[in-house]
Amino acid sequence: MRRPLTTHTRHYMALMIQKLVRAQQSQQQLLTLQGSCQFFGLRHFTDTAPVKGKNQGLGSSRAEGTAPRFYKYVGVEPAPGQGSGWQITLNDRALKTPARQPLIVPAYPLALAIAAEWEWQDNRIRPFTMPLMSLAATAIDQPKPRQKVTDTMLQYLDTDAICCREEPGKLANHQAKVYNPVLAWANQQFDVKFAISNSIFGAPQNADTHQAVRQFLQGLDDWQLAAVESLASSCRSVVLALAVMHGQLDVQAAITAARLEETYQMDEWGLVEGGHDIDIADMQVRIAGPAVFLRLLKHAQ
């Protein structure tokens, strides 16, 4: 039985992702992400053919990073034969990933949130305002093998942002104040000692640290790994990503830590409009999206 989104549910879920959507409204941000619609080709979303007469100029709209909205309503329903899985429907047609696999998610709240992202679209679809949809598709399609994902993240570990410090001074003191509590948690959580360095060659970690982090990453399911990889890339830190996953840092604290050096430079030299402000908005979405994704996954039964 199809479970359409009620007005109350739409409003609730829209409020939850409102900040994610608002942060991506800038026209300049739109231009920098103009290829995103090609990643989310419309024919990959459902088996529904584009509505006749409403696809005029689709090529040009893709160049702008948008495409016409081709559906009237969004629903959420149990996935057939999938136990506790849930699927999102557009005009009663099941949503699919870019690789044309059924988009079935393990948690009902996550399905609602992804449905809300689709419902939030007005007359044009803007894929870059749907971070949860993007993460779900990545988890299902796995464009990169799991082993490659974990190997890449372990390479980041030796240049982790919170382990690489500045020379002694004001910025280094600020880094210690923000980063050291996170490292103290990580040392205890993984029973290792993360190395700290101000060398230009980074902060190489020992074999025990690499093994502990590798073992943890390999134990994650595909959904968790997709979110943690996205967080690590956005924060330039595997440790920060793991801290967010464990609830050690909330979204705002993670953003503060990830942008610490940039914020210091802004305090010293000022904010560049059309540059720093867009970077901040982009960072908010790229960290808040995976953090919300991980939180909603906890409701999987």
mmCIF file of all heavy atoms in Angstrom, residues 240-281:
data_model
loop_
_atom_site.group_PDB
_atom_site.id
_atom_site.type_symbol
_atom_site.label_atom_id
_atom_site.label_comp_id
_atom_site.label_asym_id
_atom_site.label_seq_id
_atom_site.Cartn_x
_atom_site.Cartn_y
_atom_site.Cartn_z
ATOM 1 N N LEU A 240 37.789 13.762 12.160
ATOM 2 C CA LEU A 240 36.583 14.567 12.328
ATOM 3 C C LEU A 240 35.354 13.808 11.831
ATOM 4 O O LEU A 240 34.285 13.869 12.452
ATOM 5 C CB LEU A 240 36.718 15.892 11.570
ATOM 6 C CG LEU A 240 37.601 16.960 12.201
ATOM 7 C CD1 LEU A 240 37.659 18.191 11.302
ATOM 8 C CD2 LEU A 240 37.103 17.347 13.588
ATOM 9 N N ALA A 241 35.495 13.109 10.716
ATOM 10 C CA ALA A 241 34.367 12.336 10.183
ATOM 11 C C ALA A 241 33.911 11.284 11.183
ATOM 12 O O ALA A 241 32.715 11.104 11.420
ATOM 13 C CB ALA A 241 34.766 11.679 8.862
ATOM 14 N N LEU A 242 34.866 10.597 11.793
ATOM 15 C CA LEU A 242 34.514 9.556 12.764
ATOM 16 C C LEU A 242 33.917 10.161 14.026
ATOM 17 O O LEU A 242 33.032 9.570 14.653
ATOM 18 C CB LEU A 242 35.755 8.732 13.099
ATOM 19 C CG LEU A 242 36.364 7.950 11.913
ATOM 20 C CD1 LEU A 242 37.625 7.212 12.351
ATOM 21 C CD2 LEU A 242 35.350 6.973 11.340
ATOM 22 N N ALA A 243 34.393 11.351 14.396
ATOM 23 C CA ALA A 243 33.838 12.021 15.576
ATOM 24 C C ALA A 243 32.379 12.408 15.345
ATOM 25 O O ALA A 243 31.542 12.298 16.242
ATOM 26 C CB ALA A 243 34.673 13.251 15.915
ATOM 27 N N VAL A 244 32.069 12.856 14.136
ATOM 28 C CA VAL A 244 30.684 13.197 13.808
ATOM 29 C C VAL A 244 29.825 11.935 13.820
ATOM 30 O O VAL A 244 28.717 11.917 14.359
ATOM 31 C CB VAL A 244 30.597 13.890 12.431
ATOM 32 C CG1 VAL A 244 29.147 14.057 12.004
ATOM 33 C CG2 VAL A 244 31.292 15.245 12.474
ATOM 34 N N MET A 245 30.342 10.869 13.245
ATOM 35 C CA MET A 245 29.581 9.617 13.201
ATOM 36 C C MET A 245 29.237 9.110 14.598
ATOM 37 O O MET A 245 28.125 8.625 14.837
ATOM 38 C CB MET A 245 30.382 8.555 12.445
ATOM 39 C CG MET A 245 29.665 7.217 12.381
ATOM 40 S SD MET A 245 30.630 5.945 11.561
ATOM 41 C CE MET A 245 29.446 4.593 11.640
ATOM 42 N N HIS A 246 30.162 9.229 15.523
ATOM 43 C CA HIS A 246 29.955 8.747 16.885
ATOM 44 C C HIS A 246 29.188 9.737 17.752
ATOM 45 O O HIS A 246 28.932 9.465 18.932
ATOM 46 C CB HIS A 246 31.296 8.434 17.545
ATOM 47 C CG HIS A 246 31.908 7.138 17.104
ATOM 48 N ND1 HIS A 246 32.660 7.028 15.958
ATOM 49 C CD2 HIS A 246 31.875 5.889 17.643
ATOM 50 C CE1 HIS A 246 33.066 5.785 15.812
ATOM 51 N NE2 HIS A 246 32.599 5.063 16.812
ATOM 52 N N GLY A 247 28.829 10.895 17.200
ATOM 53 C CA GLY A 247 28.113 11.885 17.978
ATOM 54 C C GLY A 247 28.992 12.694 18.906
ATOM 55 O O GLY A 247 28.512 13.433 19.764
ATOM 56 N N GLN A 248 30.306 12.581 18.725
ATOM 57 C CA GLN A 248 31.242 13.344 19.548
ATOM 58 C C GLN A 248 31.225 14.824 19.172
ATOM 59 O O GLN A 248 31.469 15.689 20.014
ATOM 60 C CB GLN A 248 32.656 12.773 19.378
ATOM 61 C CG GLN A 248 33.715 13.400 20.272
ATOM 62 C CD GLN A 248 33.498 13.091 21.743
ATOM 63 O OE1 GLN A 248 32.816 12.121 22.084
ATOM 64 N NE2 GLN A 248 34.070 13.904 22.627
ATOM 65 N N LEU A 249 30.942 15.108 17.919
ATOM 66 C CA LEU A 249 30.820 16.479 17.422
ATOM 67 C C LEU A 249 29.469 16.636 16.745
ATOM 68 O O LEU A 249 29.053 15.763 15.983
ATOM 69 C CB LEU A 249 31.923 16.807 16.408
ATOM 70 C CG LEU A 249 33.372 16.899 16.900
ATOM 71 C CD1 LEU A 249 34.289 17.166 15.723
ATOM 72 C CD2 LEU A 249 33.539 17.972 17.960
ATOM 73 N N ASP A 250 28.788 17.757 17.002
ATOM 74 C CA ASP A 250 27.583 18.048 16.242
ATOM 75 C C ASP A 250 27.983 18.755 14.952
ATOM 76 O O ASP A 250 29.177 18.998 14.699
ATOM 77 C CB ASP A 250 26.586 18.872 17.065
ATOM 78 C CG ASP A 250 27.140 20.235 17.496
ATOM 79 O OD1 ASP A 250 28.116 20.732 16.879
ATOM 80 O OD2 ASP A 250 26.602 20.800 18.472
ATOM 81 N N VAL A 251 27.006 19.080 14.138
ATOM 82 C CA VAL A 251 27.296 19.648 12.823
ATOM 83 C C VAL A 251 28.058 20.964 12.941
ATOM 84 O O VAL A 251 29.065 21.189 12.256
ATOM 85 C CB VAL A 251 25.993 19.848 12.020
ATOM 86 C CG1 VAL A 251 26.259 20.639 10.751
ATOM 87 C CG2 VAL A 251 25.372 18.503 11.676
ATOM 88 N N GLN A 252 27.590 21.862 13.809
ATOM 89 C CA GLN A 252 28.233 23.168 13.911
ATOM 90 C C GLN A 252 29.665 23.050 14.425
ATOM 91 O O GLN A 252 30.571 23.741 13.942
ATOM 92 C CB GLN A 252 27.430 24.087 14.842
ATOM 93 C CG GLN A 252 27.905 25.535 14.825
ATOM 94 C CD GLN A 252 27.971 26.113 13.417
ATOM 95 O OE1 GLN A 252 26.988 26.105 12.678
ATOM 96 N NE2 GLN A 252 29.143 26.605 13.022
ATOM 97 N N ALA A 253 29.889 22.155 15.381
ATOM 98 C CA ALA A 253 31.243 21.968 15.895
ATOM 99 C C ALA A 253 32.159 21.400 14.811
ATOM 100 O O ALA A 253 33.335 21.773 14.717
ATOM 101 C CB ALA A 253 31.221 21.044 17.111
ATOM 102 N N ALA A 254 31.626 20.497 13.995
ATOM 103 C CA ALA A 254 32.427 19.921 12.909
ATOM 104 C C ALA A 254 32.769 20.982 11.866
ATOM 105 O O ALA A 254 33.896 21.027 11.356
ATOM 106 C CB ALA A 254 31.669 18.766 12.258
ATOM 107 N N ILE A 255 31.814 21.853 11.552
ATOM 108 C CA ILE A 255 32.069 22.934 10.597
ATOM 109 C C ILE A 255 33.127 23.875 11.146
ATOM 110 O O ILE A 255 34.051 24.303 10.433
ATOM 111 C CB ILE A 255 30.766 23.697 10.284
ATOM 112 C CG1 ILE A 255 29.804 22.801 9.513
ATOM 113 C CG2 ILE A 255 31.057 24.972 9.489
ATOM 114 C CD1 ILE A 255 28.420 23.392 9.335
ATOM 115 N N THR A 256 33.012 24.210 12.425
ATOM 116 C CA THR A 256 33.998 25.092 13.057
ATOM 117 C C THR A 256 35.393 24.492 12.982
ATOM 118 O O THR A 256 36.365 25.179 12.646
ATOM 119 C CB THR A 256 33.616 25.342 14.532
ATOM 120 O OG1 THR A 256 32.353 25.994 14.579
ATOM 121 C CG2 THR A 256 34.659 26.211 15.219
ATOM 122 N N ALA A 257 35.500 23.193 13.272
ATOM 123 C CA ALA A 257 36.803 22.531 13.234
ATOM 124 C C ALA A 257 37.340 22.435 11.807
ATOM 125 O O ALA A 257 38.525 22.671 11.561
ATOM 126 C CB ALA A 257 36.692 21.142 13.855
ATOM 127 N N ALA A 258 36.473 22.099 10.868
ATOM 128 C CA ALA A 258 36.906 21.915 9.481
ATOM 129 C C ALA A 258 37.338 23.227 8.838
ATOM 130 O O ALA A 258 38.198 23.250 7.967
ATOM 131 C CB ALA A 258 35.786 21.283 8.664
ATOM 132 N N ARG A 259 36.748 24.338 9.286
ATOM 133 C CA ARG A 259 37.054 25.640 8.689
ATOM 134 C C ARG A 259 37.925 26.501 9.608
ATOM 135 O O ARG A 259 38.000 27.715 9.435
ATOM 136 C CB ARG A 259 35.757 26.395 8.379
ATOM 137 C CG ARG A 259 34.993 25.847 7.198
ATOM 138 C CD ARG A 259 33.897 26.822 6.775
ATOM 139 N NE ARG A 259 34.399 28.165 6.592
ATOM 140 C CZ ARG A 259 35.020 28.610 5.498
ATOM 141 N NH1 ARG A 259 35.204 27.797 4.481
ATOM 142 N NH2 ARG A 259 35.443 29.851 5.424
ATOM 143 N N LEU A 260 38.590 25.903 10.546
ATOM 144 C CA LEU A 260 39.327 26.671 11.545
ATOM 145 C C LEU A 260 40.365 27.602 10.916
ATOM 146 O O LEU A 260 40.435 28.786 11.252
ATOM 147 C CB LEU A 260 39.996 25.708 12.524
ATOM 148 C CG LEU A 260 40.668 26.343 13.743
ATOM 149 C CD1 LEU A 260 40.531 25.440 14.952
ATOM 150 C CD2 LEU A 260 42.154 26.606 13.485
ATOM 151 N N GLU A 261 41.181 27.088 10.008
ATOM 152 C CA GLU A 261 42.215 27.922 9.397
ATOM 153 C C GLU A 261 41.610 29.025 8.532
ATOM 154 O O GLU A 261 42.080 30.168 8.553
ATOM 155 C CB GLU A 261 43.162 27.056 8.577
ATOM 156 C CG GLU A 261 43.981 26.087 9.420
ATOM 157 C CD GLU A 261 44.926 25.262 8.583
ATOM 158 O OE1 GLU A 261 45.345 25.742 7.504
ATOM 159 O OE2 GLU A 261 45.260 24.142 8.996
ATOM 160 N N GLU A 262 40.564 28.679 7.774
ATOM 161 C CA GLU A 262 39.925 29.691 6.931
ATOM 162 C C GLU A 262 39.285 30.783 7.783
ATOM 163 O O GLU A 262 39.369 31.975 7.443
ATOM 164 C CB GLU A 262 38.866 29.037 6.041
ATOM 165 C CG GLU A 262 39.406 28.163 4.928
ATOM 166 C CD GLU A 262 39.724 26.748 5.402
ATOM 167 O OE1 GLU A 262 39.652 26.500 6.638
ATOM 168 O OE2 GLU A 262 40.041 25.895 4.562
ATOM 169 N N THR A 263 38.660 30.385 8.884
ATOM 170 C CA THR A 263 38.046 31.366 9.772
ATOM 171 C C THR A 263 39.107 32.278 10.385
ATOM 172 O O THR A 263 38.897 33.489 10.529
ATOM 173 C CB THR A 263 37.261 30.653 10.892
ATOM 174 O OG1 THR A 263 36.258 29.824 10.300
ATOM 175 C CG2 THR A 263 36.592 31.655 11.817
ATOM 176 N N TYR A 264 40.245 31.703 10.728
ATOM 177 C CA TYR A 264 41.354 32.507 11.282
ATOM 178 C C TYR A 264 41.802 33.553 10.262
ATOM 179 O O TYR A 264 42.013 34.726 10.597
ATOM 180 C CB TYR A 264 42.505 31.585 11.655
ATOM 181 C CG TYR A 264 43.739 32.312 12.128
ATOM 182 C CD1 TYR A 264 43.850 32.734 13.458
ATOM 183 C CD2 TYR A 264 44.795 32.577 11.263
ATOM 184 C CE1 TYR A 264 44.985 33.408 13.900
ATOM 185 C CE2 TYR A 264 45.931 33.244 11.689
ATOM 186 C CZ TYR A 264 46.022 33.658 13.011
ATOM 187 O OH TYR A 264 47.147 34.326 13.438
ATOM 188 N N GLN A 265 41.951 33.137 9.014
ATOM 189 C CA GLN A 265 42.369 34.075 7.972
ATOM 190 C C GLN A 265 41.311 35.154 7.739
ATOM 191 O O GLN A 265 41.643 36.322 7.504
ATOM 192 C CB GLN A 265 42.629 33.315 6.665
ATOM 193 C CG GLN A 265 43.790 32.333 6.729
ATOM 194 C CD GLN A 265 45.116 33.009 7.013
ATOM 195 O OE1 GLN A 265 45.308 34.179 6.701
ATOM 196 N NE2 GLN A 265 46.033 32.264 7.616
ATOM 197 N N MET A 266 40.038 34.773 7.819
ATOM 198 C CA MET A 266 38.966 35.756 7.656
ATOM 199 C C MET A 266 38.994 36.778 8.793
ATOM 200 O O MET A 266 38.762 37.969 8.576
ATOM 201 C CB MET A 266 37.610 35.054 7.608
ATOM 202 C CG MET A 266 37.327 34.329 6.308
ATOM 203 S SD MET A 266 35.886 33.214 6.409
ATOM 204 C CE MET A 266 34.656 34.300 7.118
ATOM 205 N N ASP A 267 39.265 36.304 10.006
ATOM 206 C CA ASP A 267 39.349 37.219 11.143
ATOM 207 C C ASP A 267 40.514 38.190 10.981
ATOM 208 O O ASP A 267 40.437 39.347 11.412
ATOM 209 C CB ASP A 267 39.515 36.424 12.448
ATOM 210 C CG ASP A 267 38.259 35.649 12.816
ATOM 211 O OD1 ASP A 267 37.177 35.981 12.291
ATOM 212 O OD2 ASP A 267 38.367 34.696 13.616
ATOM 213 N N GLU A 268 41.566 37.697 10.350
ATOM 214 C CA GLU A 268 42.746 38.540 10.163
ATOM 215 C C GLU A 268 42.586 39.508 9.000
ATOM 216 O O GLU A 268 42.977 40.681 9.086
ATOM 217 C CB GLU A 268 43.981 37.655 9.918
ATOM 218 C CG GLU A 268 44.446 36.871 11.129
ATOM 219 C CD GLU A 268 45.095 37.754 12.178
ATOM 220 O OE1 GLU A 268 45.952 38.579 11.819
ATOM 221 O OE2 GLU A 268 44.729 37.626 13.371
ATOM 222 N N TRP A 269 42.014 39.054 7.897
ATOM 223 C CA TRP A 269 42.006 39.830 6.663
ATOM 224 C C TRP A 269 40.615 40.204 6.165
ATOM 225 O O TRP A 269 40.491 40.959 5.202
ATOM 226 C CB TRP A 269 42.752 39.057 5.565
ATOM 227 C CG TRP A 269 44.131 38.673 5.966
ATOM 228 C CD1 TRP A 269 44.567 37.438 6.347
ATOM 229 C CD2 TRP A 269 45.270 39.533 6.055
ATOM 230 N NE1 TRP A 269 45.893 37.467 6.668
ATOM 231 C CE2 TRP A 269 46.361 38.741 6.489
ATOM 232 C CE3 TRP A 269 45.485 40.892 5.790
ATOM 233 C CZ2 TRP A 269 47.631 39.260 6.688
ATOM 234 C CZ3 TRP A 269 46.750 41.408 5.992
ATOM 235 C CH2 TRP A 269 47.807 40.604 6.432
ATOM 236 N N GLY A 270 39.588 39.639 6.763
ATOM 237 C CA GLY A 270 38.225 39.972 6.355
ATOM 238 C C GLY A 270 37.624 38.948 5.416
ATOM 239 O O GLY A 270 38.313 38.111 4.824
ATOM 240 N N LEU A 271 36.294 39.022 5.289
ATOM 241 C CA LEU A 271 35.548 38.099 4.434
ATOM 242 C C LEU A 271 35.461 38.636 3.014
ATOM 243 O O LEU A 271 35.185 39.821 2.808
ATOM 244 C CB LEU A 271 34.142 37.880 5.001
ATOM 245 C CG LEU A 271 33.214 36.917 4.254
ATOM 246 C CD1 LEU A 271 32.327 36.160 5.232
ATOM 247 C CD2 LEU A 271 32.322 37.683 3.262
ATOM 248 N N VAL A 272 35.711 37.759 2.042
ATOM 249 C CA VAL A 272 35.598 38.124 0.628
ATOM 250 C C VAL A 272 34.222 37.695 0.141
ATOM 251 O O VAL A 272 33.929 36.495 0.052
ATOM 252 C CB VAL A 272 36.698 37.448 -0.217
ATOM 253 C CG1 VAL A 272 36.508 37.789 -1.694
ATOM 254 C CG2 VAL A 272 38.069 37.855 0.262
ATOM 255 N N GLU A 273 33.348 38.658 -0.146
ATOM 256 C CA GLU A 273 32.007 38.332 -0.610
ATOM 257 C C GLU A 273 32.073 37.635 -1.967
ATOM 258 O O GLU A 273 32.849 38.022 -2.833
ATOM 259 C CB GLU A 273 31.157 39.601 -0.713
ATOM 260 C CG GLU A 273 30.861 40.240 0.635
ATOM 261 C CD GLU A 273 29.903 41.410 0.515
ATOM 262 O OE1 GLU A 273 29.431 41.662 -0.616
ATOM 263 O OE2 GLU A 273 29.641 42.058 1.538
ATOM 264 N N GLY A 274 31.229 36.659 -2.132
ATOM 265 C CA GLY A 274 31.245 35.878 -3.366
ATOM 266 C C GLY A 274 32.315 34.810 -3.355
ATOM 267 O O GLY A 274 32.466 34.069 -4.329
ATOM 268 N N GLY A 275 33.077 34.721 -2.279
ATOM 269 C CA GLY A 275 34.101 33.693 -2.144
ATOM 270 C C GLY A 275 33.930 32.930 -0.853
ATOM 271 O O GLY A 275 33.463 31.797 -0.822
ATOM 272 N N HIS A 276 34.311 33.591 0.247
ATOM 273 C CA HIS A 276 34.211 32.936 1.549
ATOM 274 C C HIS A 276 32.789 32.562 1.910
ATOM 275 O O HIS A 276 32.538 31.476 2.461
ATOM 276 C CB HIS A 276 34.778 33.859 2.642
ATOM 277 C CG HIS A 276 36.264 34.004 2.584
ATOM 278 N ND1 HIS A 276 36.909 35.204 2.763
ATOM 279 C CD2 HIS A 276 37.245 33.093 2.357
ATOM 280 C CE1 HIS A 276 38.208 35.028 2.665
ATOM 281 N NE2 HIS A 276 38.440 33.763 2.411
ATOM 282 N N ASP A 277 31.834 33.449 1.602
ATOM 283 C CA ASP A 277 30.451 33.165 1.994
ATOM 284 C C ASP A 277 29.902 31.942 1.256
ATOM 285 O O ASP A 277 29.162 31.126 1.829
ATOM 286 C CB ASP A 277 29.557 34.386 1.772
ATOM 287 C CG ASP A 277 29.698 34.993 0.387
ATOM 288 O OD1 ASP A 277 30.617 34.601 -0.352
ATOM 289 O OD2 ASP A 277 28.883 35.871 0.044
ATOM 290 N N ILE A 278 30.274 31.790 0.000
ATOM 291 C CA ILE A 278 29.828 30.620 -0.763
ATOM 292 C C ILE A 278 30.522 29.368 -0.254
ATOM 293 O O ILE A 278 29.912 28.306 -0.138
ATOM 294 C CB ILE A 278 30.092 30.819 -2.261
ATOM 295 C CG1 ILE A 278 29.165 31.912 -2.801
ATOM 296 C CG2 ILE A 278 29.885 29.521 -3.035
ATOM 297 C CD1 ILE A 278 29.368 32.230 -4.244
ATOM 298 N N ASP A 279 31.809 29.480 0.091
ATOM 299 C CA ASP A 279 32.520 28.337 0.654
ATOM 300 C C ASP A 279 31.880 27.871 1.955
ATOM 301 O O ASP A 279 31.763 26.672 2.218
ATOM 302 C CB ASP A 279 33.986 28.696 0.905
ATOM 303 C CG ASP A 279 34.778 28.875 -0.379
ATOM 304 O OD1 ASP A 279 34.309 28.399 -1.426
ATOM 305 O OD2 ASP A 279 35.856 29.495 -0.322
ATOM 306 N N ILE A 280 31.465 28.831 2.783
ATOM 307 C CA ILE A 280 30.832 28.497 4.054
ATOM 308 C C ILE A 280 29.512 27.766 3.815
ATOM 309 O O ILE A 280 29.219 26.743 4.446
ATOM 310 C CB ILE A 280 30.610 29.767 4.896
ATOM 311 C CG1 ILE A 280 31.951 30.347 5.345
ATOM 312 C CG2 ILE A 280 29.732 29.466 6.113
ATOM 313 C CD1 ILE A 280 31.845 31.723 5.985
ATOM 314 N N ALA A 281 28.697 28.291 2.894
ATOM 315 C CA ALA A 281 27.411 27.658 2.588
ATOM 316 C C ALA A 281 27.613 26.249 2.050
ATOM 317 O O ALA A 281 26.902 25.310 2.427
ATOM 318 C CB ALA A 281 26.641 28.507 1.585
#
